[in-house]
Amino acid sequence: MRGNRLKIWGGLIVGVFAVLLLGWVIWGGRADNAIVVRFLDVGQGDSILISQGSTQVLIDGGRDPKRLLELLGAYMPFWDRTVDVVVATHPDEDHIGGLVGLADRYHVGEFLQTNEPSTSQVFSRYQGVVQSGSTVETFAPLDLIFPNGARLETVYPDDTIDPGKDIPSNDTSIVMELLFGEHTFLFTGDLPEKEESNILVGDIEVLKVGHHGSKYSTSDAFLDRITPEYGILSVGANNRYGHPAPEVVEKFKKRNITVFRTDKEGTISFVCKDEQEACEMMTEK
């Protein structure tokens, strides 16, 4: 009987070791130097997961808490239960709704958000999560340096904007730029066209298209100035807003900018292994 118990325990130990080894094989190659940027398929909304090793940054969370947790479970190592920084670009439900359930499974080191309030119930629940013990920064420009030297910087807005003014929430949507050697990503939230002149960046490689491809964002002048190689549209299938607007899609086609859409390709991932080598692009579908 004792011998059988020893065999059982031995089998369990081997099994656990095998699972850990498999996890190391799957994640180890991406846990050293590579920056991984995933535009998560959250339906009609935005959510972007940026990872390098054990450092995780989440920009927005879509609308559905269950969907967000499913995606984080799929794309974060199963032993990692910490999101270092969560950025809520603005208080619309399709950007913060999914974040309501985040604290049920993950510890968040820091929240970054604007000062723009909302009267929605979702915003109230989100604020409950934010105030549950994490550090909260409002309008504080984030300059995060990843272990491999990549930088995530806030390029808009700044703390000169008066939070007491009645400003549409999209107008102060947080815009961030990720820089890793020759690779540059620009995440624009729902920023409208009239504010795009405030985005002071150079040429970029990957653009998260503003406001899901709404006709009120992504001007010709903006595209001609930043000259992206790729445009990422985070949209839900057959959404009621008609996103992306045909005229916006035509702007990308006219400039030979390669476009990927989450409603057609699912989650879209860029794996950048070093500062010069071209990033590997993968789609879920």
Side-chain angles (χ1 to χ4, degrees):
M1 181 67 75
R2 182 182 178 185
N4 289 337
R5 285 200 298 267
L6 289 174
K7 289 180 180 178
I8 292 172
W9 279 108
L12 288 173
I13 292 171
V14 170
V16 170
F17 177 78
V19 170
L20 292 174
L21 179 62
L22 178 62
W24 184 88
V25 170
I26 292 174
W27 297 103
R30 294 176 184 171
D32 47 2
N33 201 51
I35 279 281
V36 184
V37 181
R38 301 190 191 277
F39 300 88
L40 302 177
D41 179 17
V42 292
Q44 183 63 19
D46 269 11
S47 188
I48 301 151
L49 178 65
I50 306 170
S51 305
Q52 195 268 309
S54 60
T55 302
Q56 317 281 349
V57 177
L58 183 66
I59 302 178
D60 290 327
R63 185 185 299 269
D64 182 0
K66 181 179 178 182
R67 177 62 177 161
L68 178 64
L69 290 178
E70 288 174 351
L71 289 165
L72 294 182
Y75 292 118
M76 284 179 60
F78 64 84
W79 60 82
D80 191 346
R81 286 292 180 265
T82 298
V83 179
D84 297 85
V85 179
V86 169
V87 180
T89 60
H90 62 298
D92 287 0
E93 183 176 358
D94 59 335
H95 291 253
I96 66 168
L99 300 175
V100 169
L102 190 62
D104 293 341
R105 190 176 301 174
Y106 297 94
H107 168 72
V108 177
E110 181 178 351
F111 282 91
L112 177 68
Q113 62 185 28
T114 71
N115 270 329
E116 289 302 313
S118 172
T119 58
S120 72
Q121 293 183 356
V122 169
F123 182 72
S124 296
R125 293 198 296 272
Y126 161 73
Q127 286 299 309
V129 174
V130 169
Q131 301 297 339
S132 63
S134 299
T135 302
V136 183
E137 299 288 350
T138 56
F139 272 169
L142 175 69
D143 186 1
L144 173 67
I145 301 177
F146 287 83
N148 66 354
R151 301 179 75 99
L152 182 65
E153 301 177 351
T154 305
V155 297
Y156 180 86
D158 59 31
D159 56 10
T160 63
I161 294 178
D162 184 355
K165 290 185 177 180
D166 186 15
I167 303 174
S169 62
N170 285 353
D171 288 15
T172 57
S173 186
I174 293 174
V175 177
M176 310 201 79
E177 184 180 25
L178 176 68
L179 305 102
F180 181 48
E182 297 180 357
H183 309 301
T184 53
F185 294 75
L186 189 65
F187 313 107
T188 57
D190 278 2
L191 195 75
E193 178 179 322
K194 62 182 180 178
E195 300 296 335
E196 290 173 349
S197 61
N198 293 312
I199 307 306
L200 304 179
V201 298
D203 294 342
I204 64 164
E205 183 176 1
V206 182
L207 170 68
K208 200 294 296 184
V209 182
H211 205 177
H212 321 288
S214 161
K215 65 181 180 180
Y216 302 109
S217 295
T218 318
S219 66
D220 288 292
F222 185 53
L223 286 178
D224 290 339
R225 180 159 57 86
I226 65 173
T227 64
E229 297 178 35
Y230 300 95
I232 308 299
L233 286 159
S234 186
V235 292
N238 303 313
N239 65 85
R240 62 190 178 95
Y241 306 100
H243 294 159
E247 53 264 48
V248 172
V249 175
E250 184 60 30
K251 290 177 184 180
F252 286 96
K253 183 177 179 181
K254 179 181 177 181
R255 292 166 175 79
N256 295 316
I257 300 170
T258 303
V259 173
F260 294 98
R261 301 169 48 156
T262 57
D263 62 335
K264 295 183 179 295
E265 279 89 23
T267 293
I268 301 157
S269 303
F270 288 81
V271 180
C272 305
K273 295 182 180 179
D274 64 37
E275 297 184 356
Q276 284 79 37
E277 182 182 349
C279 299
E280 179 183 0
M281 199 280 296
M282 297 172 287
T283 61
E284 179 185 6
K285 299 179 182 177

